[in-house]
Amino acid sequence: MANQKRKPNSTISNSPLPLAIVVIFGLAAGVTLMVADHAPRTRSGIENSVPIVEEALSSETTTEVTATTTAESTSLTTTTKETTTAQSLPPGSVTGLTLSFYDAALKVGDKPVMPLVTMTPENATDKSEKWESTDQKVATVDWLGNITPVGSGNCIIRVTSVNNPTVFAEVKISVVDPNETVTAKPKQTESTAKTETTAQSTSAAAPAETSAAPERADMEIIDGVTYIQKVMIVNKTYALPKSYHPNGLTAETKTAFAELQAAATAEGLSIYSVSDYRSYETQDTLYHNYVARDGKEKADTFSARAGHSEHQTGLAIDCNYAGDAFHDTKEAKWLAENAWKYGFIIRYPKGKESITGYKYESWHIRYLGKDMAKKIFDSGLCLEEYFNIDSKYAE
C-alpha cells in the first residue's frame, strides 16, 4: 500500500470551484464589454455602428422635411394675394391668378374672346379653372374661357382656381346688340330723340346736322362731313351727322385690309378685325354703357360719343383685341411698323394722348390711302398734329 502510486484526482476538473471562477471571470469580462459598447461616442467614432448611423440619418431627414414644409407653407401664405385665410396652404397650392385683360366691349355677333390665364406658382400641382357668367343672357363662357356675347347689357365673367377657390379674377363685359338698338327707336320723333339724348348726356355729344362754313382753305364740309385735303376728319371736335350710314366698311378699306392681312400671314402672324363699322345708334349705346360703368370722365378717354367715333366712318378697324394686352404682341408691333404700307395709320399712338383726346390704342387702325398714310407715318405725327387741328368736345 505504501508503495502504491497515487492516481491523479479525476474529479478536480469537474470541481464546482474552478467552474465558478470561470463564470465569474466571464461575467466580469461581459460587463466590461457591455459598458465599453455603451460608452459615449463622438461623430468620428460611430462609423462602424450601423444602428446608430441609421438612427441619426433618420432624425436628420425628418428635420429637413419639416423645415422644408414649414418654409413652403409660409411662402405660400405670404405670396397669396387672393387667399383670405391665414392658415398655411399645402405645397403645390395655387396662390395667385392673373388675366391678359379684365374688361371687354363686345357686340352681338362678335367672335368669342378668351383672356389668357396665368396661375402662380409655376409648380402648382392643379391649375384647373372654373368659369362662370353672372348673366348668361348677356354673355356665356365655356369651360375653356371662351366668352361669347349674347345680348345687350353688362355682366361679370369670373374664373376661379379649382385647387384654391379663394383665388379668382373677373372680366367686366359690356355687350351691345346693333339690331336691337336700331329697331328699338324706329318711330321716334326728332324732339323725343333729343329729349332722351339730353337725359343721358349733354347736347354737345350730338353732332349738328347742318353744314358750317369751312375754317380754312384746305377744308371742305360736304353734307355735314368735314374733309381736310380730301381726308375725312372725325374726332372730338369734328363730328359726323347722325344720318351718315355707310352700312359697313368701305370697299376700298376692305380691299386694303385684306392686303394687310395677307402680308401679315406671310410673316406667320394673324391679324383680324374684332370691331369695325358701328352705326350712330350702336356707338351711342356703347358709350353710355361705359359711362354707366366707369363714369363720364373716364369713358371719354377711351370711347367716343355718338357721331364722334371713327368707327362710324367705315374706315376704322380694331384688330385682334381692343385692350392694353395687345400692346406687346408681335401683331401690334408689326402693325405699328407696316400698316402704312397698306394705307392705314395707328390712329391713337402712344405719347399723343393729350392731342388725340384718347388713350394709346395699338389695335385701332384708320384707312387714309397709301399716299397719305405714308406721309403721316414718315412725319412721326398723329393725324391732329399733321393737319393742325384740335380734338376737344365743345363743353
Side-chain angles (χ1 to χ4, degrees):
M1 293 289 294
N3 294 324
Q4 186 178 3
K5 293 183 179 180
R6 191 174 185 178
K7 294 181 180 181
N9 189 352
S10 61
T11 61
I12 291 178
S13 61
N14 294 325
S15 172
L17 181 57
L19 180 60
I21 292 173
V22 172
V23 171
I24 292 172
F25 179 78
L27 290 174
V31 170
T32 302
L33 289 173
M34 291 176 65
V35 171
D37 189 59
H38 287 78
R41 301 180 184 221
T42 61
R43 173 64 62 179
S44 60
I46 64 172
E47 285 80 5
N48 296 323
S49 179
V50 175
I52 295 179
V53 172
E54 289 181 349
E55 180 180 355
L57 291 177
S58 176
S59 176
E60 290 175 1
T61 302
T62 302
T63 301
E64 290 176 0
V65 171
T66 302
T68 302
T69 302
T70 302
E72 289 180 355
S73 297
T74 302
S75 174
L76 291 176
T77 301
T78 56
T79 58
T80 301
K81 294 181 179 180
E82 292 85 355
T83 303
T84 57
T85 177
Q87 297 178 353
S88 297
L89 297 172
S93 296
V94 172
T95 63
L97 190 158
T98 59
L99 302 176
S100 57
F101 61 87
Y102 294 88
D103 61 80
L106 308 170
K107 65 176 182 287
V108 177
D110 282 348
K111 296 178 180 178
V113 297
M114 182 180 70
L116 300 179
V117 179
T118 302
M119 292 188 183
T120 53
E122 292 185 1
N123 63 346
T125 56
D126 181 3
K127 294 185 179 181
S128 302
E129 307 159 5
K130 178 182 179 182
W131 292 86
E132 300 172 287
S133 171
T134 59
D135 191 343
Q136 295 192 26
K137 294 181 179 179
V138 175
T140 59
V141 62
D142 63 18
W143 65 281
L144 286 174
N146 291 299
I147 303 170
T148 303
V150 177
S152 59
N154 301 294
C155 72
I156 298 294
I157 300 296
R158 172 180 285 200
V159 55
T160 304
S161 164
V162 174
N163 172 265
N164 183 1
T166 62
V167 176
F168 64 89
E170 296 180 338
V171 183
K172 296 179 180 178
I173 301 296
S174 177
V175 179
V176 295
D177 186 342
N179 295 326
E180 181 180 270
T181 304
V182 171
T183 58
K185 303 177 182 179
K187 296 182 180 180
Q188 285 183 326
T189 63
E190 188 65 20
S191 59
T192 302
K194 288 182 179 179
T195 301
E196 291 186 0
T197 301
T198 303
Q200 293 178 329
S201 63
T202 63
S203 57
E209 293 283 348
T210 58
S211 297
E215 300 173 5
R216 45 198 256 192
D218 61 351
M219 178 183 290
E220 294 179 278
I221 300 177
I222 304 173
D223 296 329
V225 181
T226 301
Y227 298 85
I228 298 179
Q229 298 178 32
K230 307 300 181 181
V231 174
M232 183 185 294
I233 305 297
V234 178
N235 62 14
K236 291 183 177 182
T237 300
Y238 301 95
L240 289 172
K242 186 176 181 179
S243 57
Y244 188 85
H245 282 287
N247 296 317
L249 290 177
T250 67
E252 193 174 359
T253 303
K254 286 182 180 179
T255 299
F257 188 62
E259 292 178 2
L260 182 152
Q261 287 180 298
T265 300
E267 296 188 31
L269 302 176
S270 176
I271 294 178
Y272 51 90
S273 171
V274 292
S275 181
D276 38 64
Y277 170 72
R278 299 176 200 150
S279 68
Y280 180 99
E281 292 78 10
T282 296
Q283 186 64 34
D284 187 54
T285 301
L286 183 63
Y287 172 75
H288 285 104
N289 281 344
Y290 284 132
V291 170
R293 189 190 74 183
D294 301 316
K296 186 177 180 182
E297 183 177 356
K298 184 176 180 180
D300 281 339
T301 66
F302 63 86
S303 180
R305 300 175 187 178
H308 294 267
S309 172
E310 281 203 328
H311 285 284
Q312 193 182 339
T313 67
L315 303 169
I317 300 171
D318 285 342
C319 299
N320 292 41
Y321 171 65
D324 293 349
F326 185 63
H327 293 335
D328 296 325
T329 64
K330 293 180 180 179
E331 285 77 7
K333 294 175 182 178
W334 187 91
L335 281 173
E337 296 172 0
N338 298 281
W340 64 272
K341 298 175 183 177
Y342 309 95
F344 295 90
I345 62 169
I346 303 299
R347 181 62 179 88
Y348 307 117
K350 189 174 184 179
K352 306 291 186 179
E353 293 85 352
S354 62
I355 303 172
T356 64
Y358 296 102
K359 62 179 285 186
Y360 169 42
E361 295 189 357
S362 57
W363 59 87
H364 182 117
I365 58 175
R366 160 71 195 272
Y367 182 72
L368 298 174
K370 293 181 180 180
D371 291 341
M372 184 57 70
K374 185 179 187 307
K375 290 178 182 178
I376 293 182
F377 176 82
D378 289 343
S379 73
L381 304 174
C382 65
L383 185 141
E384 279 77 12
E385 289 176 308
Y386 187 85
F387 289 120
N388 192 27
I389 56 177
D390 291 328
S391 179
K392 297 178 181 178
Y393 289 127
E395 291 183 333

